[in-house]
Structures are given as C-alpha cells and as structure tokens.
Amino acid sequence: MSDLIYWFKHKLLNLPVLASEHGKSVDDLIVYVHALMAVLFVGWFAYFLYALFRFRKSKHPNADYIGVKSHVSNYLEGGVALVEAILLIGFAVPLWAKVAAYPPAEKDSTSIYVLGRQFNWNGHYAGPDGKMGKQDSALSSAIDPFGVDRKNDPDAKDDVIVQDNFIVPVNKPVILHISSLDVIHSFAIRSMRICQDATPGFSVATWFTPTKAGKYKIACAQLCGMGHYTMRAVLEVVSQQEYDKWLADAARKATAASVSYE
Ligand SMILES: [Cu+2]
C-alpha cells in the first residue's frame, strides 16, 4: 500500500520534494482526494457508456415515463457523500485545526517578517538579540523596504534585512509574518507545503518546520504584474550552527553599514 501511495505521489502526481513536518498530511490528503476523484471518473464514465448502449434508439423508440425503480443510485450517491464527509471531517478539518489552532511560540521559532513588492521578496530578522526592531514606513527605501528604525531603536541595531535569499535553521519552527508593499502577492514554498497571500495593510502569519537541509524555491503564487515571473527567491535550510554564524555575520555587516550612513 505504501508503495502504491509513493507511486501516486511521486510518479503520477509528481509532487515537489517534501521538506516540512506537516507536509506529509497535506500530501496524503491530496492522494486521497485524487483517488476518490479517479474512482468517480471511472464510475461515471462507465455508467455514461452503459447508458448510451442500454438506452439506444433502436432498442427504445419510446420514452419511459416511469423511470428507474431500484435504489442502487441512491445508495451510490450516499456512499460518495460518506467518503467525502470522511475526507473533510477525518482529514482536512483536523489538519487545518492543528496548523491554525496550535502555532508554535515565537520564542521557540525563527521569526521573519516577509514583505512582497513588485518584484521581489524581502525578509526582516530580529538579529542575534532576538528583538525585532521597530519599522517605520517613512524610512522605507530600496534596500530596506521595511524601514527598520536603526537610528532610534536600540533593538533594531543588529536587525538583518535580506532580499530573495532567506536562511533558516533545520528542525525548528519558522514563523513568517507576511505582508505586501504594493499589490497582492502570495508567498509560496512548495517543498514546505505553504502558500499565503501577501496583502497590503495586513500582516498574516503562517508557519512550518523544515525537516531537510537544502535549497528550496520560493515563488509568488499570485499574478501581480509584468514582473511576476521574476519573483523567485530561495529558502536555504541549514544547521543551527551555520544559521547562528550567518546571522551574526549579517548583523555585524548591517550594524556597520547603518553606522556609516549616519
Ligand atoms: Cu508577486
């Protein structure tokens, strides 16, 4: 059975590499829904062909005003409704409830503010102090669309801004606070099985736990203008040590740069 599910996921549906914890439940649900649809497709098509043959004109010159008397079709309809209810109540709702109702604590996670704009993805990290500096849209610039207030907020001094290149440690929840600077974008990482609209004026959180080190594609999943196709970014999942080292280096550079601007 597991071989069949593997074949279904990776050969037939060609799902992207899976690298997040909750992703398996998403993939399983995709397989079950497709399996049900396959059964319905074959069943309805077989019935269609049967009806064409069974009620052909040469055999039935006159319409029958009474119609079918057996209850088989009712039972079949009931069966389909039952399987759909099981998929919805047994799989979809619990998965959604788990993800939506039990997000990880910020202190146990890698927290990143994500800002989409025409046409790239920007990230704001708290830096090694773990404290997110204040953002002020009046300070927003080409290299820092968030407008992190490095001058007045001490928490902001070591904050790190990235563009199209996100780095996170493996096996630790990642919380993304997603928004947009201009139009509606959508932050999608297929391998993590997440996709969240980035809407101007709203900050919406989503989260996942990466389970495999590597580089994964980030895409914009909402047609957002002429350069939509260029909104590709990279998510790099590394070990905790590599992440800490990267964050410390990036924070040092950011601090140095902000001092030289003053
Ligand atoms: Cu976009």
mmCIF file with all atom_site columns, all heavy atoms in Angstrom, residues 166-189:
data_model
loop_
_atom_site.group_PDB
_atom_site.id
_atom_site.type_symbol
_atom_site.label_atom_id
_atom_site.label_alt_id
_atom_site.label_comp_id
_atom_site.label_asym_id
_atom_site.label_entity_id
_atom_site.label_seq_id
_atom_site.pdbx_PDB_ins_code
_atom_site.Cartn_x
_atom_site.Cartn_y
_atom_site.Cartn_z
_atom_site.occupancy
_atom_site.B_iso_or_equiv
_atom_site.pdbx_formal_charge
_atom_site.auth_seq_id
_atom_site.auth_comp_id
_atom_site.auth_asym_id
_atom_site.auth_atom_id
_atom_site.pdbx_PDB_model_num
ATOM 1   N N   . PHE A 1 166 ? 16.452 33.718 1.776  1.00 0.00 ? 166 PHE A N   1
ATOM 2   C CA  . PHE A 1 166 ? 16.059 33.500 3.168  1.00 0.00 ? 166 PHE A CA  1
ATOM 3   C C   . PHE A 1 166 ? 16.825 32.308 3.733  1.00 0.00 ? 166 PHE A C   1
ATOM 4   O O   . PHE A 1 166 ? 16.981 31.304 3.046  1.00 0.00 ? 166 PHE A O   1
ATOM 5   C CB  . PHE A 1 166 ? 14.551 33.228 3.259  1.00 0.00 ? 166 PHE A CB  1
ATOM 6   C CG  . PHE A 1 166 ? 13.715 34.424 2.892  1.00 0.00 ? 166 PHE A CG  1
ATOM 7   C CD1 . PHE A 1 166 ? 13.537 34.798 1.567  1.00 0.00 ? 166 PHE A CD1 1
ATOM 8   C CD2 . PHE A 1 166 ? 13.104 35.183 3.880  1.00 0.00 ? 166 PHE A CD2 1
ATOM 9   C CE1 . PHE A 1 166 ? 12.769 35.907 1.219  1.00 0.00 ? 166 PHE A CE1 1
ATOM 10  C CE2 . PHE A 1 166 ? 12.330 36.285 3.547  1.00 0.00 ? 166 PHE A CE2 1
ATOM 11  C CZ  . PHE A 1 166 ? 12.171 36.652 2.214  1.00 0.00 ? 166 PHE A CZ  1
ATOM 12  N N   . ILE A 1 167 ? 17.291 32.456 4.952  1.00 0.00 ? 167 ILE A N   1
ATOM 13  C CA  . ILE A 1 167 ? 18.021 31.355 5.584  1.00 0.00 ? 167 ILE A CA  1
ATOM 14  C C   . ILE A 1 167 ? 17.333 31.006 6.903  1.00 0.00 ? 167 ILE A C   1
ATOM 15  O O   . ILE A 1 167 ? 16.976 31.904 7.678  1.00 0.00 ? 167 ILE A O   1
ATOM 16  C CB  . ILE A 1 167 ? 19.497 31.737 5.804  1.00 0.00 ? 167 ILE A CB  1
ATOM 17  C CG1 . ILE A 1 167 ? 20.145 32.019 4.443  1.00 0.00 ? 167 ILE A CG1 1
ATOM 18  C CG2 . ILE A 1 167 ? 20.248 30.644 6.552  1.00 0.00 ? 167 ILE A CG2 1
ATOM 19  C CD1 . ILE A 1 167 ? 21.613 32.274 4.449  1.00 0.00 ? 167 ILE A CD1 1
ATOM 20  N N   . VAL A 1 168 ? 17.129 29.708 7.136  1.00 0.00 ? 168 VAL A N   1
ATOM 21  C CA  . VAL A 1 168 ? 16.515 29.266 8.396  1.00 0.00 ? 168 VAL A CA  1
ATOM 22  C C   . VAL A 1 168 ? 17.215 27.992 8.872  1.00 0.00 ? 168 VAL A C   1
ATOM 23  O O   . VAL A 1 168 ? 17.762 27.245 8.071  1.00 0.00 ? 168 VAL A O   1
ATOM 24  C CB  . VAL A 1 168 ? 15.000 28.981 8.237  1.00 0.00 ? 168 VAL A CB  1
ATOM 25  C CG1 . VAL A 1 168 ? 14.228 30.244 7.907  1.00 0.00 ? 168 VAL A CG1 1
ATOM 26  C CG2 . VAL A 1 168 ? 14.746 27.900 7.194  1.00 0.00 ? 168 VAL A CG2 1
ATOM 27  N N   . PRO A 1 169 ? 17.196 27.765 10.210 1.00 0.00 ? 169 PRO A N   1
ATOM 28  C CA  . PRO A 1 169 ? 17.768 26.515 10.710 1.00 0.00 ? 169 PRO A CA  1
ATOM 29  C C   . PRO A 1 169 ? 16.793 25.350 10.558 1.00 0.00 ? 169 PRO A C   1
ATOM 30  O O   . PRO A 1 169 ? 15.581 25.540 10.579 1.00 0.00 ? 169 PRO A O   1
ATOM 31  C CB  . PRO A 1 169 ? 18.023 26.823 12.187 1.00 0.00 ? 169 PRO A CB  1
ATOM 32  C CG  . PRO A 1 169 ? 17.046 27.888 12.540 1.00 0.00 ? 169 PRO A CG  1
ATOM 33  C CD  . PRO A 1 169 ? 16.744 28.663 11.295 1.00 0.00 ? 169 PRO A CD  1
ATOM 34  N N   . VAL A 1 170 ? 17.366 24.149 10.427 1.00 0.00 ? 170 VAL A N   1
ATOM 35  C CA  . VAL A 1 170 ? 16.550 22.950 10.222 1.00 0.00 ? 170 VAL A CA  1
ATOM 36  C C   . VAL A 1 170 ? 15.909 22.498 11.550 1.00 0.00 ? 170 VAL A C   1
ATOM 37  O O   . VAL A 1 170 ? 16.413 22.835 12.634 1.00 0.00 ? 170 VAL A O   1
ATOM 38  C CB  . VAL A 1 170 ? 17.433 21.835 9.607  1.00 0.00 ? 170 VAL A CB  1
ATOM 39  C CG1 . VAL A 1 170 ? 18.426 21.270 10.614 1.00 0.00 ? 170 VAL A CG1 1
ATOM 40  C CG2 . VAL A 1 170 ? 16.603 20.720 9.006  1.00 0.00 ? 170 VAL A CG2 1
ATOM 41  N N   . ASN A 1 171 ? 14.803 21.794 11.460 1.00 0.00 ? 171 ASN A N   1
ATOM 42  C CA  . ASN A 1 171 ? 14.116 21.185 12.619 1.00 0.00 ? 171 ASN A CA  1
ATOM 43  C C   . ASN A 1 171 ? 13.691 22.166 13.704 1.00 0.00 ? 171 ASN A C   1
ATOM 44  O O   . ASN A 1 171 ? 13.641 21.814 14.889 1.00 0.00 ? 171 ASN A O   1
ATOM 45  C CB  . ASN A 1 171 ? 14.988 20.091 13.250 1.00 0.00 ? 171 ASN A CB  1
ATOM 46  C CG  . ASN A 1 171 ? 15.138 18.906 12.324 1.00 0.00 ? 171 ASN A CG  1
ATOM 47  O OD1 . ASN A 1 171 ? 14.234 18.597 11.565 1.00 0.00 ? 171 ASN A OD1 1
ATOM 48  N ND2 . ASN A 1 171 ? 16.294 18.261 12.363 1.00 0.00 ? 171 ASN A ND2 1
ATOM 49  N N   . LYS A 1 172 ? 13.434 23.407 13.313 1.00 0.00 ? 172 LYS A N   1
ATOM 50  C CA  . LYS A 1 172 ? 12.927 24.390 14.265 1.00 0.00 ? 172 LYS A CA  1
ATOM 51  C C   . LYS A 1 172 ? 11.808 25.143 13.545 1.00 0.00 ? 172 LYS A C   1
ATOM 52  O O   . LYS A 1 172 ? 11.969 25.503 12.377 1.00 0.00 ? 172 LYS A O   1
ATOM 53  C CB  . LYS A 1 172 ? 14.081 25.338 14.627 1.00 0.00 ? 172 LYS A CB  1
ATOM 54  C CG  . LYS A 1 172 ? 13.763 26.290 15.748 1.00 0.00 ? 172 LYS A CG  1
ATOM 55  C CD  . LYS A 1 172 ? 14.983 27.133 16.073 1.00 0.00 ? 172 LYS A CD  1
ATOM 56  C CE  . LYS A 1 172 ? 14.610 28.180 17.092 1.00 0.00 ? 172 LYS A CE  1
ATOM 57  N NZ  . LYS A 1 172 ? 15.714 29.086 17.372 1.00 0.00 ? 172 LYS A NZ  1
ATOM 58  N N   . PRO A 1 173 ? 10.676 25.368 14.230 1.00 0.00 ? 173 PRO A N   1
ATOM 59  C CA  . PRO A 1 173 ? 9.570  26.035 13.526 1.00 0.00 ? 173 PRO A CA  1
ATOM 60  C C   . PRO A 1 173 ? 9.990  27.409 12.974 1.00 0.00 ? 173 PRO A C   1
ATOM 61  O O   . PRO A 1 173 ? 10.792 28.097 13.597 1.00 0.00 ? 173 PRO A O   1
ATOM 62  C CB  . PRO A 1 173 ? 8.509  26.199 14.611 1.00 0.00 ? 173 PRO A CB  1
ATOM 63  C CG  . PRO A 1 173 ? 8.851  25.218 15.654 1.00 0.00 ? 173 PRO A CG  1
ATOM 64  C CD  . PRO A 1 173 ? 10.336 25.050 15.621 1.00 0.00 ? 173 PRO A CD  1
ATOM 65  N N   . VAL A 1 174 ? 9.447  27.739 11.829 1.00 0.00 ? 174 VAL A N   1
ATOM 66  C CA  . VAL A 1 174 ? 9.682  29.055 11.220 1.00 0.00 ? 174 VAL A CA  1
ATOM 67  C C   . VAL A 1 174 ? 8.325  29.755 11.173 1.00 0.00 ? 174 VAL A C   1
ATOM 68  O O   . VAL A 1 174 ? 7.365  29.195 10.632 1.00 0.00 ? 174 VAL A O   1
ATOM 69  C CB  . VAL A 1 174 ? 10.235 28.922 9.789  1.00 0.00 ? 174 VAL A CB  1
ATOM 70  C CG1 . VAL A 1 174 ? 10.402 30.288 9.138  1.00 0.00 ? 174 VAL A CG1 1
ATOM 71  C CG2 . VAL A 1 174 ? 11.560 28.166 9.792  1.00 0.00 ? 174 VAL A CG2 1
ATOM 72  N N   . ILE A 1 175 ? 8.247  30.962 11.765 1.00 0.00 ? 175 ILE A N   1
ATOM 73  C CA  . ILE A 1 175 ? 7.009  31.732 11.679 1.00 0.00 ? 175 ILE A CA  1
ATOM 74  C C   . ILE A 1 175 ? 7.247  32.897 10.725 1.00 0.00 ? 175 ILE A C   1
ATOM 75  O O   . ILE A 1 175 ? 8.199  33.656 10.892 1.00 0.00 ? 175 ILE A O   1
ATOM 76  C CB  . ILE A 1 175 ? 6.576  32.275 13.053 1.00 0.00 ? 175 ILE A CB  1
ATOM 77  C CG1 . ILE A 1 175 ? 6.406  31.131 14.054 1.00 0.00 ? 175 ILE A CG1 1
ATOM 78  C CG2 . ILE A 1 175 ? 5.275  33.063 12.938 1.00 0.00 ? 175 ILE A CG2 1
ATOM 79  C CD1 . ILE A 1 175 ? 5.968  31.576 15.434 1.00 0.00 ? 175 ILE A CD1 1
ATOM 80  N N   . LEU A 1 176 ? 6.386  33.014 9.736  1.00 0.00 ? 176 LEU A N   1
ATOM 81  C CA  . LEU A 1 176 ? 6.511  34.099 8.766  1.00 0.00 ? 176 LEU A CA  1
ATOM 82  C C   . LEU A 1 176 ? 5.345  35.065 8.966  1.00 0.00 ? 176 LEU A C   1
ATOM 83  O O   . LEU A 1 176 ? 4.190  34.641 9.010  1.00 0.00 ? 176 LEU A O   1
ATOM 84  C CB  . LEU A 1 176 ? 6.462  33.534 7.343  1.00 0.00 ? 176 LEU A CB  1
ATOM 85  C CG  . LEU A 1 176 ? 7.480  32.450 7.009  1.00 0.00 ? 176 LEU A CG  1
ATOM 86  C CD1 . LEU A 1 176 ? 7.140  31.800 5.677  1.00 0.00 ? 176 LEU A CD1 1
ATOM 87  C CD2 . LEU A 1 176 ? 8.883  33.032 6.960  1.00 0.00 ? 176 LEU A CD2 1
ATOM 88  N N   . HIS A 1 177 ? 5.665  36.349 9.104  1.00 0.00 ? 177 HIS A N   1
ATOM 89  C CA  . HIS A 1 177 ? 4.621  37.377 9.184  1.00 0.00 ? 177 HIS A CA  1
ATOM 90  C C   . HIS A 1 177 ? 4.617  38.069 7.830  1.00 0.00 ? 177 HIS A C   1
ATOM 91  O O   . HIS A 1 177 ? 5.513  38.838 7.523  1.00 0.00 ? 177 HIS A O   1
ATOM 92  C CB  . HIS A 1 177 ? 4.923  38.360 10.308 1.00 0.00 ? 177 HIS A CB  1
ATOM 93  C CG  . HIS A 1 177 ? 4.973  37.692 11.651 1.00 0.00 ? 177 HIS A CG  1
ATOM 94  N ND1 . HIS A 1 177 ? 3.852  37.520 12.427 1.00 0.00 ? 177 HIS A ND1 1
ATOM 95  C CD2 . HIS A 1 177 ? 5.999  37.132 12.335 1.00 0.00 ? 177 HIS A CD2 1
ATOM 96  C CE1 . HIS A 1 177 ? 4.185  36.884 13.548 1.00 0.00 ? 177 HIS A CE1 1
ATOM 97  N NE2 . HIS A 1 177 ? 5.477  36.641 13.515 1.00 0.00 ? 177 HIS A NE2 1
ATOM 98  N N   . ILE A 1 178 ? 3.603  37.753 7.036  1.00 0.00 ? 178 ILE A N   1
ATOM 99  C CA  . ILE A 1 178 ? 3.652  38.098 5.617  1.00 0.00 ? 178 ILE A CA  1
ATOM 100 C C   . ILE A 1 178 ? 2.772  39.303 5.283  1.00 0.00 ? 178 ILE A C   1
ATOM 101 O O   . ILE A 1 178 ? 1.601  39.365 5.664  1.00 0.00 ? 178 ILE A O   1
ATOM 102 C CB  . ILE A 1 178 ? 3.234  36.878 4.773  1.00 0.00 ? 178 ILE A CB  1
ATOM 103 C CG1 . ILE A 1 178 ? 4.224  35.726 5.048  1.00 0.00 ? 178 ILE A CG1 1
ATOM 104 C CG2 . ILE A 1 178 ? 3.193  37.218 3.298  1.00 0.00 ? 178 ILE A CG2 1
ATOM 105 C CD1 . ILE A 1 178 ? 3.821  34.418 4.437  1.00 0.00 ? 178 ILE A CD1 1
ATOM 106 N N   . SER A 1 179 ? 3.370  40.260 4.561  1.00 0.00 ? 179 SER A N   1
ATOM 107 C CA  . SER A 1 179 ? 2.609  41.422 4.114  1.00 0.00 ? 179 SER A CA  1
ATOM 108 C C   . SER A 1 179 ? 3.126  41.859 2.739  1.00 0.00 ? 179 SER A C   1
ATOM 109 O O   . SER A 1 179 ? 4.022  41.233 2.179  1.00 0.00 ? 179 SER A O   1
ATOM 110 C CB  . SER A 1 179 ? 2.738  42.551 5.127  1.00 0.00 ? 179 SER A CB  1
ATOM 111 O OG  . SER A 1 179 ? 1.831  43.583 4.804  1.00 0.00 ? 179 SER A OG  1
ATOM 112 N N   . SER A 1 180 ? 2.545  42.938 2.213  1.00 0.00 ? 180 SER A N   1
ATOM 113 C CA  . SER A 1 180 ? 2.963  43.435 0.900  1.00 0.00 ? 180 SER A CA  1
ATOM 114 C C   . SER A 1 180 ? 3.087  44.945 0.919  1.00 0.00 ? 180 SER A C   1
ATOM 115 O O   . SER A 1 180 ? 2.399  45.628 1.682  1.00 0.00 ? 180 SER A O   1
ATOM 116 C CB  . SER A 1 180 ? 1.949  43.004 -0.164 1.00 0.00 ? 180 SER A CB  1
ATOM 117 O OG  . SER A 1 180 ? 2.175  43.719 -1.355 1.00 0.00 ? 180 SER A OG  1
ATOM 118 N N   . LEU A 1 181 ? 3.964  45.448 0.063  1.00 0.00 ? 181 LEU A N   1
ATOM 119 C CA  . LEU A 1 181 ? 4.181  46.889 -0.011 1.00 0.00 ? 181 LEU A CA  1
ATOM 120 C C   . LEU A 1 181 ? 3.268  47.539 -1.057 1.00 0.00 ? 181 LEU A C   1
ATOM 121 O O   . LEU A 1 181 ? 2.974  48.726 -0.984 1.00 0.00 ? 181 LEU A O   1
ATOM 122 C CB  . LEU A 1 181 ? 5.653  47.156 -0.374 1.00 0.00 ? 181 LEU A CB  1
ATOM 123 C CG  . LEU A 1 181 ? 6.256  48.500 -0.049 1.00 0.00 ? 181 LEU A CG  1
ATOM 124 C CD1 . LEU A 1 181 ? 6.246  48.744 1.446  1.00 0.00 ? 181 LEU A CD1 1
ATOM 125 C CD2 . LEU A 1 181 ? 7.692  48.573 -0.570 1.00 0.00 ? 181 LEU A CD2 1
ATOM 126 N N   . ASP A 1 182 ? 2.842  46.754 -2.046 1.00 0.00 ? 182 ASP A N   1
ATOM 127 C CA  . ASP A 1 182 ? 2.079  47.374 -3.141 1.00 0.00 ? 182 ASP A CA  1
ATOM 128 C C   . ASP A 1 182 ? 0.782  46.614 -3.468 1.00 0.00 ? 182 ASP A C   1
ATOM 129 O O   . ASP A 1 182 ? -0.269 46.943 -2.964 1.00 0.00 ? 182 ASP A O   1
ATOM 130 C CB  . ASP A 1 182 ? 2.971  47.526 -4.385 1.00 0.00 ? 182 ASP A CB  1
ATOM 131 C CG  . ASP A 1 182 ? 3.939  46.359 -4.568 1.00 0.00 ? 182 ASP A CG  1
ATOM 132 O OD1 . ASP A 1 182 ? 3.480  45.218 -4.454 1.00 0.00 ? 182 ASP A OD1 1
ATOM 133 O OD2 . ASP A 1 182 ? 5.131  46.605 -4.835 1.00 0.00 ? 182 ASP A OD2 1
ATOM 134 N N   . VAL A 1 183 ? 0.899  45.557 -4.272 1.00 0.00 ? 183 VAL A N   1
ATOM 135 C CA  . VAL A 1 183 ? -0.306 44.820 -4.677 1.00 0.00 ? 183 VAL A CA  1
ATOM 136 C C   . VAL A 1 183 ? -0.351 43.483 -3.935 1.00 0.00 ? 183 VAL A C   1
ATOM 137 O O   . VAL A 1 183 ? 0.515  43.205 -3.110 1.00 0.00 ? 183 VAL A O   1
ATOM 138 C CB  . VAL A 1 183 ? -0.304 44.579 -6.214 1.00 0.00 ? 183 VAL A CB  1
ATOM 139 C CG1 . VAL A 1 183 ? -0.283 45.891 -6.961 1.00 0.00 ? 183 VAL A CG1 1
ATOM 140 C CG2 . VAL A 1 183 ? 0.890  43.710 -6.617 1.00 0.00 ? 183 VAL A CG2 1
ATOM 141 N N   . ILE A 1 184 ? -1.334 42.660 -4.229 1.00 0.00 ? 184 ILE A N   1
ATOM 142 C CA  . ILE A 1 184 ? -1.425 41.356 -3.564 1.00 0.00 ? 184 ILE A CA  1
ATOM 143 C C   . ILE A 1 184 ? -0.452 40.373 -4.224 1.00 0.00 ? 184 ILE A C   1
ATOM 144 O O   . ILE A 1 184 ? -0.499 40.155 -5.431 1.00 0.00 ? 184 ILE A O   1
ATOM 145 C CB  . ILE A 1 184 ? -2.861 40.794 -3.623 1.00 0.00 ? 184 ILE A CB  1
ATOM 146 C CG1 . ILE A 1 184 ? -3.816 41.731 -2.881 1.00 0.00 ? 184 ILE A CG1 1
ATOM 147 C CG2 . ILE A 1 184 ? -2.915 39.396 -3.005 1.00 0.00 ? 184 ILE A CG2 1
ATOM 148 C CD1 . ILE A 1 184 ? -5.280 41.333 -3.003 1.00 0.00 ? 184 ILE A CD1 1
ATOM 149 N N   . HIS A 1 185 ? 0.447  39.843 -3.411 1.00 0.00 ? 185 HIS A N   1
ATOM 150 C CA  . HIS A 1 185 ? 1.336  38.768 -3.852 1.00 0.00 ? 185 HIS A CA  1
ATOM 151 C C   . HIS A 1 185 ? 0.940  37.517 -3.062 1.00 0.00 ? 185 HIS A C   1
ATOM 152 O O   . HIS A 1 185 ? 0.039  37.558 -2.225 1.00 0.00 ? 185 HIS A O   1
ATOM 153 C CB  . HIS A 1 185 ? 2.798  39.111 -3.542 1.00 0.00 ? 185 HIS A CB  1
ATOM 154 C CG  . HIS A 1 185 ? 3.268  40.375 -4.188 1.00 0.00 ? 185 HIS A CG  1
ATOM 155 N ND1 . HIS A 1 185 ? 3.713  40.420 -5.482 1.00 0.00 ? 185 HIS A ND1 1
ATOM 156 C CD2 . HIS A 1 185 ? 3.359  41.647 -3.708 1.00 0.00 ? 185 HIS A CD2 1
ATOM 157 C CE1 . HIS A 1 185 ? 4.068  41.674 -5.777 1.00 0.00 ? 185 HIS A CE1 1
ATOM 158 N NE2 . HIS A 1 185 ? 3.862  42.437 -4.721 1.00 0.00 ? 185 HIS A NE2 1
ATOM 159 N N   . SER A 1 186 ? 1.656  36.431 -3.284 1.00 0.00 ? 186 SER A N   1
ATOM 160 C CA  . SER A 1 186 ? 1.406  35.229 -2.478 1.00 0.00 ? 186 SER A CA  1
ATOM 161 C C   . SER A 1 186 ? 2.718  34.480 -2.297 1.00 0.00 ? 186 SER A C   1
ATOM 162 O O   . SER A 1 186 ? 3.379  34.138 -3.270 1.00 0.00 ? 186 SER A O   1
ATOM 163 C CB  . SER A 1 186 ? 0.363  34.346 -3.173 1.00 0.00 ? 186 SER A CB  1
ATOM 164 O OG  . SER A 1 186 ? 0.007  33.287 -2.315 1.00 0.00 ? 186 SER A OG  1
ATOM 165 N N   . PHE A 1 187 ? 3.070  34.282 -1.033 1.00 0.00 ? 187 PHE A N   1
ATOM 166 C CA  . PHE A 1 187 ? 4.360  33.681 -0.687 1.00 0.00 ? 187 PHE A CA  1
ATOM 167 C C   . PHE A 1 187 ? 4.203  32.166 -0.649 1.00 0.00 ? 187 PHE A C   1
ATOM 168 O O   . PHE A 1 187 ? 3.528  31.629 0.228  1.00 0.00 ? 187 PHE A O   1
ATOM 169 C CB  . PHE A 1 187 ? 4.799  34.213 0.680  1.00 0.00 ? 187 PHE A CB  1
ATOM 170 C CG  . PHE A 1 187 ? 6.215  33.903 1.047  1.00 0.00 ? 187 PHE A CG  1
ATOM 171 C CD1 . PHE A 1 187 ? 7.258  34.635 0.504  1.00 0.00 ? 187 PHE A CD1 1
ATOM 172 C CD2 . PHE A 1 187 ? 6.507  32.900 1.958  1.00 0.00 ? 187 PHE A CD2 1
ATOM 173 C CE1 . PHE A 1 187 ? 8.584  34.371 0.856  1.00 0.00 ? 187 PHE A CE1 1
ATOM 174 C CE2 . PHE A 1 187 ? 7.826  32.630 2.314  1.00 0.00 ? 187 PHE A CE2 1
ATOM 175 C CZ  . PHE A 1 187 ? 8.864  33.367 1.764  1.00 0.00 ? 187 PHE A CZ  1
ATOM 176 N N   . ALA A 1 188 ? 4.831  31.483 -1.622 1.00 0.00 ? 188 ALA A N   1
ATOM 177 C CA  . ALA A 1 188 ? 4.640  30.033 -1.719 1.00 0.00 ? 188 ALA A CA  1
ATOM 178 C C   . ALA A 1 188 ? 5.974  29.305 -1.697 1.00 0.00 ? 188 ALA A C   1
ATOM 179 O O   . ALA A 1 188 ? 6.879  29.643 -2.460 1.00 0.00 ? 188 ALA A O   1
ATOM 180 C CB  . ALA A 1 188 ? 3.890  29.695 -3.013 1.00 0.00 ? 188 ALA A CB  1
ATOM 181 N N   . ILE A 1 189 ? 6.094  28.332 -0.804 1.00 0.00 ? 189 ILE A N   1
ATOM 182 C CA  . ILE A 1 189 ? 7.246  27.433 -0.833 1.00 0.00 ? 189 ILE A CA  1
ATOM 183 C C   . ILE A 1 189 ? 6.663  26.030 -0.977 1.00 0.00 ? 189 ILE A C   1
ATOM 184 O O   . ILE A 1 189 ? 6.158  25.453 -0.017 1.00 0.00 ? 189 ILE A O   1
ATOM 185 C CB  . ILE A 1 189 ? 8.107  27.514 0.445  1.00 0.00 ? 189 ILE A CB  1
ATOM 186 C CG1 . ILE A 1 189 ? 8.335  28.968 0.874  1.00 0.00 ? 189 ILE A CG1 1
ATOM 187 C CG2 . ILE A 1 189 ? 9.454  26.816 0.225  1.00 0.00 ? 189 ILE A CG2 1
ATOM 188 C CD1 . ILE A 1 189 ? 9.089  29.110 2.180  1.00 0.00 ? 189 ILE A CD1 1
#
